[in-house]
Amino acid sequence: MTAYIIRRLFQLVIVLIGVTFITFMMLKLVPGDPAVALAGKGATQQRIEFVRHERGLDRPFYVQYYKYVTRLLHGDLGESLYTGLPVRDMITQAAPVTIQLAVAAVLIEMLGIPLGVYSALRQYSFWDTTLTTLALIIWGIPVFVLGYFAMYIFGLKLNLLPIGGAGLPYILWILPSSWESFTYLILPALTLGIIEVAYISYMQRASMLEVSRSDFIRTARAKGLSERKVIWGHGFKNAVIPVMTIAGIDLGALIGGAIITETVFSRPGIGLMIYHAIGQRDIAVIAGGVLFATFFFVFANLLVDLGYAWVDPRVRLED
Amino acid sequence: MAERLLEVKDLSTQFFTHAGIVKAVNGVSFTLDRNETIGIVGESGSGKTVAALSLKRLLPARPGQVVEGSLMLGARNLRTISDDEMRGVRGNDIAMIFQDPMTSLNPVMKIGKQIAEAITLHQDKSKREAWKMAIDLLARVGIPDAPKRVDQYPFEFSGGMRQRAMIAMAISCNPDILIADEPTTALDVTIQAQIIDVVREMQAQFNSGVILITHDLGVIAEIADKVMVMYGGRTVEYGPVDEIFYNAHHPYTWGLLASLPRLDASEKERLTPIKGQPPNLITLPAGCPFTVRCPYRRDECRDNWPELEIVAAEHGVHCWVPVDERQGLRVELPHFKEPVA
C-alpha cells in the first residue's frame, strides 16, 4: 500500500509539472505583447523596453519558464491585468466558495449509490422503472437549465431560498457559519449534485445487476448465506468498484459543472472568477484559476485512487 | 443396504422466457446413496446443470422454476421446505463445486474468509476457529503453504488451486452430498486428474454421495459408480458404469461413445461426431428428443416417449428400437468391435 501511495504521489508531481508548463504557454502564446500591456496605455517605447527587461520578458524561453515555476513555488501567481490585485489573493478568497460547493455536491452524489442498489435489487419493479426513468431525464438536463429552473421556482416564485451569492463568511474554511449562510448553498449544491446522483445511481444499478449475475454470487448462495449477506457481503463491494472509477473520472466534470453553476448562481468562487477573467482577457487570472482547478482535480483523483486501492486488493497488491 | 441420501422423482424444470417455455429438464429421476458417485453425462444444454441447480434452488429466480417432481433429501422434500430451511441445506447438506474456478470465487475477499464464512454459518464455531479450520482444509485439498495462502486473494491463486479452494469450501461443513458441475472443464488435463483425485479422496474421508456432472466420459469412467445419460432434458439411459460403457442400449449413448478419440485408431481415421444440432428446448417433440438426429428412428419416435425398459440389473433405457434389434445394431458399431481401453 505504501509503495502504491509513493508511486501515485510521484505521478502527481509529473502531472503538476505538465500543468505548469501548459499554463505558462497560455501566458506566452496569447496574442499581443505583454510588455505593451503591462506598461500601460500611451507608454513610450523606452518605457516598454524597460518593463520588458525588468519583467525578464527578453530572456530565453526556458529561463522564463524556470522563473515562472520558481515564482509559483513561492506562491506568486502574478497580478490581475485588470485590477492589479495579486492572483493568489483572489484565489484564496474564491477557493472556499468553490470547494464548499464541490464537497456538498459530492456528498449529495453519494446518494446515487444506495438508490442504484435499490433499483437493481428490484429490477423492473415500479420503483426501479420510476427511478431509472427519472435518472435518465435529469442526467440529460444541462446544469444551467436546471439551475435557472430551480432559481425560478424556489427563489422567485416561492421565495424560499436566495438566488445568488455565497453566504460568506464561513467557519473552518468552508463550513457555512449560520443557517442563513447555509441557505445560499442549497440551490447550487442540489442543482449540481442531483445530476451526479442521476448519473451515479444509473451506473450503480447497472454494475450491481452485472455483479448479481456473476458466478461468485451463485457460490455465495450455494454456501447457504442469507440474501442480505450475499448482496452486501459479496455483491456490493464488487459492484461499487466500477462506480468509484466512474466517479473519479467524473470529478473533472464536477469542476466544470461548478464553474457553470457558480456563473448561474453568481457565487463568487473560482468558476465565476475564471468566467469574468475570460471576458476581460485577464490571462494571469485565467492561468491561476486553471492551475487551481487542476490541483484540485489531481488531488481529488488521488483520494479516489487511494479509496479504490483500499477496496480492491488487485490494485493494492499489484507487484 | 446403503443409506439412501437423495431420491429425485420426475423432476421437471422450465424457464419462462419471452421466446416461450424452455423445457430444460423433463421428468428426470435418480437416486444417490452414501459413498456412491453418480455421473450425469450429456452435451451442452441437455439439462445436467439445471437439474443440479434445481436441487439447491439456485435457478435464476424469475424465469427458472421447478414445475414438477419430488426431491427427497432424507425425509425432507427440497421442493416444499421454506427458504430458510433451504439455506440450511445449502452448503451444510448439499455442497457444490462449479465449472469455472476463475469466476466462482469473490475477487475482493480473502480465500480464508470465503471458506470460514461457510463454517461459521453452519457450525457453532468462532471466527478464529473457523479460520484455523480453513487453513486445515486448504492443506487437506493439497494447497502447499496453507497458513500463508489462506490470507491471499483469488487472483493470487492459479486455476487448479482455485478449484482446490472451492473444494475446500464445499467440504468445509462435511456435506452429505457433493455436486461437482463440470469441475475439470476449465482446467488443463494434468490438473484435471489431480482435481478428480481430490474429489475422490474427500468423498472417501467424508462418506459423501457425489453427483458429477460432465460431458467427459473419461472422467466418468474414472470416478462414477453409475451413469445417467441425458439428452434434451430427459434421461435416455441409466445404469452402472460398466453397463453404460460395454452394454449401452441407446443410440445417443452409442454416439457419445463413438465420438471419443481413441489411441489405437489410425491417423487417417477421423472422430465420429453425432450428426445434427442439439435440440431446441422450446419446441421439443412430445416423444424422444433425439429423434431427428437418430440414425435408427422410426415412425413412433417423434410423438411418443418410450416406456422405461429394464435391460439389465439397474440398467434402464428409453428407446423404441426393439431390444434384439438394438443388440444387432450395437455389434455393428466400430467401437464395440473390440473392448474400449
Side-chain angles (χ1 to χ4, degrees):
Chain A
M1 188 76 180
T2 325
Y4 178 77
I5 295 174
I6 291 171
R7 200 166 60 227
R8 290 292 292 123
L9 284 173
F10 183 70
Q11 287 170 356
L12 194 143
V13 170
I14 293 175
V15 170
L16 291 178
I17 290 174
V19 174
T20 56
F21 187 74
I22 290 168
T23 50
F24 174 71
M25 292 306 286
M26 264 173 72
L27 293 166
K28 282 285 106 186
L29 292 178
V30 61
D33 185 339
V36 175
L38 283 168
K41 262 188 187 157
T44 59
Q45 192 59 35
Q46 205 182 1
R47 165 85 187 145
I48 292 171
E49 288 311 320
F50 174 75
V51 168
R52 192 191 306 281
H53 184 70
E54 188 202 47
R55 289 299 181 109
L57 295 170
D58 53 351
R59 309 290 296 277
F61 176 80
Y62 57 89
V63 177
Q64 289 189 42
Y65 176 62
Y66 173 76
K67 294 225 157 180
Y68 171 73
V69 173
T70 318
R71 282 205 304 275
L72 278 186
L73 289 176
H74 286 94
D76 180 3
L77 295 167
E79 287 105 40
S80 163
L81 286 178
Y82 203 68
T83 60
L85 288 170
V87 173
R88 182 181 62 176
D89 294 354
M90 294 173 70
I91 286 178
T92 323
Q93 258 186 2
V97 179
T98 300
I99 292 173
Q100 183 191 61
L101 176 60
V103 169
V106 166
L107 290 180
I108 295 170
E109 179 180 323
M110 294 300 153
L111 268 179
I113 291 174
L115 282 177
V117 172
Y118 180 89
S119 271
L121 295 184
R122 288 160 187 75
Q123 194 186 7
Y124 303 139
S125 69
F126 171 76
W127 283 112
D128 172 39
T129 316
T130 311
L131 283 172
T132 310
T133 313
L134 260 179
L136 280 173
I137 292 170
I138 292 173
W139 188 14
I141 304 176
V143 177
F144 56 88
V145 173
L146 198 62
Y148 283 122
F149 188 69
M151 226 150 96
Y152 180 75
I153 303 271
F154 296 101
L156 292 178
K157 283 285 155 191
L158 300 175
N159 205 14
L160 286 173
L161 296 164
I163 56 168
L168 289 162
Y170 300 151
I171 47 170
L172 295 174
W173 197 40
I174 59 165
L175 294 182
S177 52
S178 63
W179 168 251
E180 213 241 314
S181 161
F182 181 70
T183 55
Y184 285 89
L185 178 62
I186 296 175
L187 276 188
L190 279 181
T191 303
L192 189 54
I194 203 161
I195 292 175
E196 299 298 320
V197 168
Y199 185 55
I200 294 289
S201 71
Y202 194 71
M203 293 300 160
Q204 180 68 60
R205 175 182 181 272
S207 169
M208 194 74 197
L209 283 175
E210 194 183 314
V211 166
S212 67
R213 290 191 198 101
S214 63
D215 287 350
F216 64 84
I217 290 295
R218 189 181 54 187
T219 306
R221 286 209 179 97
K223 269 190 242 183
L225 290 176
S226 66
E227 210 47 21
R228 196 174 55 85
K229 276 193 174 150
V230 169
I231 286 155
W232 296 106
H234 287 266
F236 180 68
K237 210 170 167 189
N238 280 286
V240 91
I241 289 171
V243 176
M244 279 177 73
T245 317
I246 294 164
I249 296 166
D250 202 43
L251 272 172
L254 194 68
I255 292 167
I259 291 179
I260 300 170
T261 313
E262 282 176 1
T263 317
V264 171
F265 289 96
S266 316
R267 275 174 74 86
I270 301 288
L272 197 63
M273 181 188 92
I274 294 177
Y275 176 76
H276 285 315
I278 290 171
Q280 293 158 348
R281 293 167 183 260
D282 198 342
I283 294 297
V285 176
I286 299 174
V290 168
L291 209 55
F292 169 83
T294 315
F295 264 84
F296 184 82
F297 179 63
V298 169
F299 181 70
N301 245 317
L302 178 71
L303 287 185
V304 170
D305 281 355
L306 291 182
Y308 198 60
W310 178 60
V311 175
D312 192 342
R314 286 165 295 190
V315 175
R316 190 188 332 142
L317 300 174
E318 190 186 21
D319 57 60
Chain B
M1 179 77 185
E3 184 191 345
R4 170 108 339 148
L5 294 174
L6 182 72
E7 185 156 4
V8 174
K9 226 178 209 161
D10 294 328
L11 169 67
S12 290
T13 303
Q14 301 182 341
F15 290 84
F16 297 87
T17 70
H18 291 299
I21 298 171
V22 179
K23 300 177 202 80
V25 177
N26 304 300
V28 164
S29 305
F30 64 94
T31 61
L32 182 68
D33 295 344
R34 195 170 279 289
N35 288 321
E36 190 181 42
T37 300
I38 179 170
I40 305 183
V41 276
E43 58 198 25
S44 307
S46 59
K48 313 179 296 267
T49 300
V50 173
L53 292 177
S54 302
L55 287 178
K56 292 198 76 174
R57 218 183 271 177
L58 280 176
L59 296 164
R62 195 57 67 79
Q65 210 177 323
V66 175
V67 292
E68 219 192 304
S70 75
L71 312 166
M72 299 303 293
L73 178 74
R76 284 174 289 181
N77 188 345
L78 297 180
R79 260 192 87 187
T80 52
I81 60 175
S82 70
D83 282 351
D84 265 351
E85 269 181 280
M86 192 67 213
R87 271 195 287 278
V89 168
R90 290 177 189 161
N92 200 24
D93 296 306
I94 307 180
M96 192 157 178
I97 310 166
F98 295 100
Q99 177 172 358
D100 189 353
M102 304 313 273
T103 56
S104 294
L105 291 162
N106 184 343
V108 300
M109 192 184 274
K110 285 180 179 169
I111 296 282
K113 188 167 179 216
Q114 299 194 42
I115 299 172
E117 194 179 43
I119 298 171
T120 49
L121 186 70
H122 297 295
Q123 300 175 38
D124 189 21
K125 295 270 195 283
S126 71
K127 280 192 173 167
R128 183 186 294 263
E129 285 172 308
W131 189 263
K132 276 200 185 130
M133 282 177 71
I135 297 175
D136 183 48
L137 284 161
L138 283 182
R140 268 159 92 173
V141 294
I143 289 185
D145 206 5
K148 188 181 138 229
R149 288 297 193 165
V150 74
D151 219 12
Q152 291 186 329
Y153 290 92
F155 76 97
E156 297 169 274
F157 276 48
S158 71
M161 285 190 0
R162 288 187 206 190
Q163 197 60 299
R164 284 170 193 265
M166 280 295 293
I167 295 173
M169 191 190 297
I171 60 171
S172 63
C173 295
N174 190 6
D176 284 337
I177 298 170
L178 182 62
I179 303 175
D181 185 3
E182 310 218 13
T184 58
T185 306
L187 303 170
D188 68 62
V189 185
T190 47
I191 307 296
Q192 282 184 13
Q194 293 173 12
I195 293 295
I196 291 298
D197 281 345
V198 174
V199 170
R200 208 164 19 192
E201 277 166 35
M202 294 304 129
Q203 177 181 26
Q205 272 186 35
F206 295 103
N207 300 317
S208 318
V210 172
I211 300 175
L212 180 76
I213 297 167
T214 182
H215 55 250
D216 186 342
L217 285 172
V219 173
I220 291 284
E222 186 94 354
I223 186 172
D225 300 310
K226 57 185 190 182
V227 184
M228 182 165 94
V229 182
M230 285 186 72
Y231 187 86
R234 286 192 187 271
T235 307
V236 292
E237 182 166 13
Y238 71 85
V241 63
D242 284 350
E243 281 283 317
I244 296 297
F245 274 87
Y246 300 114
N247 189 26
H249 271 259
H250 198 280
Y252 177 63
T253 317
W254 297 343
L256 281 181
L257 290 166
S259 63
L260 280 178
R262 296 180 49 156
L263 284 175
D264 57 354
S266 73
E267 276 180 45
K268 281 188 188 143
E269 233 173 279
R270 314 197 64 167
L271 291 177
T272 321
I274 302 174
K275 291 200 173 64
Q277 297 296 317
N280 181 340
L281 295 172
I282 296 177
T283 56
L284 279 181
C288 177
F290 191 56
T291 309
V292 278
R293 296 170 78 184
C294 184
Y296 316 110
R297 63 174 170 263
R298 44 196 64 216
D299 295 342
E300 55 269 49
C301 286
R302 175 179 285 277
D303 296 322
N304 304 290
W305 176 238
E307 287 293 309
L308 176 67
E309 181 186 342
I310 304 293
V311 291
E314 302 283 310
H315 183 180
V317 66
H318 292 271
C319 187
W320 280 113
V321 182
V323 62
D324 43 343
E325 206 172 310
R326 278 204 301 265
Q327 267 151 351
L329 286 167
R330 197 176 56 213
V331 175
E332 294 303 307
L333 295 167
H335 54 286
F336 281 114
K337 284 182 177 163
E338 52 201 293
V340 179

